[in-house]
Amino acid sequence: MDYNYNQEDKALVAVDCIIFGFDEDDLKLLLIKRGFEPEKGKWSLMGGFLKKNETLDQAANRVLYTLTGLNNVYMEQLYGFSKVDRDPVERTISVAYYALININDHNPKLLDEHSAQWFSISEVPHLIFDHNEMLRKALRRLRRRTSTNPVGFELLPKKFTMRQLQKLYEVILGEDLDKRNFQKKIKQMDVLVKLKEKDMTSSRKGSFLYKFDKEKYKEKVSDGFTFKV
């Protein structure tokens, strides 16, 4: 006997993107001002509904590209949110993703089109529905990931100073790090390439620039290396 799917309840599926950026001084979150009811004019994560011909990952990448113009950035599925009344209009299940981008890489014109704005992670306004809960979970995941994986480098420019790297880890982890111990630990991992170039904006002497060596990191991981800050 054939089973009739039509007798089952239907629900919409959405994806919401928690988009983190780093401006060399502070961890930031990209938000949009909602343009329709309910909660019109309130701050929201960028989201959209899953289309019939998409996977969840494809939908999340579409949402990210629409807002930033970026492809091939670090993105990870976070959690499913399914409270029955989370969306007052329709029964909607949302699958949240978080993404890490270098703020300097995105297309600022797209932000104007979507009434989007960067907020310091310490000054995020109240968000619609359960988006504040999504953000809390994303921050916890980001802190765990950056402690044991080099995902933080996704937020930096390709060339960065050791001061920028330390500042990034401090704002993500929410704590001050001892400069000498941090630099010693990072250098001992042997996954950075020290360049001959200097950033002359930080001091008169300047600060050496570094690059993250992805290939070297992959080789070290295959040999049992563990990244830990």
Side-chain angles (χ1 to χ4, degrees):
M1 179 179 173
D2 291 336
Y3 186 77
N4 185 359
Y5 284 80
N6 291 328
Q7 68 190 34
E8 298 297 341
D9 291 346
K10 301 293 191 297
L12 295 172
V13 177
V15 294
D16 284 294
C17 292
I18 303 108
I19 303 171
F20 292 116
F22 183 65
D23 65 357
E24 301 180 17
D25 189 56
D26 197 8
L27 183 67
K28 298 201 168 179
L29 176 71
L30 189 57
L31 300 174
I32 64 166
K33 191 162 276 191
R34 191 169 163 98
F36 53 91
E37 296 293 353
E39 307 282 10
K40 183 177 180 179
K42 302 282 184 68
W43 289 106
S44 165
L45 298 172
M46 182 68 174
F49 288 104
L50 180 72
K51 298 184 183 301
K52 288 182 178 180
N53 61 346
E54 286 181 319
T55 64
L56 285 166
D57 287 359
Q58 288 170 339
N61 275 291
R62 170 175 55 81
V63 168
L64 181 72
Y65 181 78
T66 299
L67 188 54
T68 67
L70 297 177
N71 277 317
N72 302 316
V73 302
Y74 183 89
M75 181 179 278
E76 184 179 336
Q77 190 179 120
L78 177 67
Y79 195 78
F81 294 81
S82 61
K83 284 184 181 176
V84 173
D85 59 351
R86 60 171 303 278
D87 187 322
V89 176
E90 191 79 39
R91 175 80 167 104
T92 304
I93 296 165
S94 179
V95 180
Y97 283 74
Y98 76 96
L100 308 178
I101 71 171
N102 178 2
I103 286 180
N104 295 326
D105 288 343
H106 79 283
N107 184 345
K109 290 182 181 178
L110 293 175
L111 302 196
D112 292 336
E113 288 178 20
H114 294 278
S115 300
Q117 186 175 321
W118 288 102
F119 286 86
S120 167
I121 207 67
S122 61
E123 299 175 354
V124 173
H126 181 74
L127 306 178
I128 68 167
F129 305 159
D130 49 6
H131 289 191
N132 284 96
E133 184 184 354
M134 292 181 183
L135 175 58
R136 285 193 293 270
K137 285 184 181 294
L139 276 170
R140 285 199 296 269
R141 176 77 65 85
L142 178 59
R143 283 170 182 151
R144 288 201 305 271
R145 283 282 185 270
T146 51
S147 295
T148 58
N149 290 276
V151 297
F153 293 103
E154 304 288 343
L155 291 159
L156 289 166
K158 286 190 172 120
K159 300 174 185 178
F160 51 85
T161 65
M162 197 62 73
R163 190 203 73 83
Q164 289 170 341
L165 180 61
Q166 181 173 339
K167 182 64 177 177
L168 171 68
Y169 275 89
E170 286 178 338
V171 295
I172 290 176
L173 299 175
E175 60 183 84
D176 292 332
L177 300 171
D178 179 78
K179 178 180 176 181
R180 186 176 296 178
N181 287 339
F182 177 81
Q183 292 193 9
K184 182 181 177 183
K185 191 180 288 187
I186 290 291
K187 288 175 181 177
Q188 283 177 341
M189 291 183 194
D190 193 28
V191 293
L192 298 185
V193 177
K194 185 177 182 179
L195 305 174
K196 293 181 180 179
E197 303 168 57
K198 281 188 173 183
D199 171 22
M200 300 306 296
T201 62
S202 55
S203 68
R204 212 157 68 182
K205 283 177 60 179
S207 301
F208 279 107
L209 292 165
Y210 293 81
K211 283 201 310 186
F212 175 59
D213 192 332
K214 287 186 179 180
E215 294 310 311
K216 193 169 190 180
Y217 170 73
K218 288 176 185 175
E219 288 175 14
K220 289 173 75 71
V221 167
S222 65
D223 291 333
F225 167 78
T226 302
F227 185 95
K228 186 164 180 60
V229 173

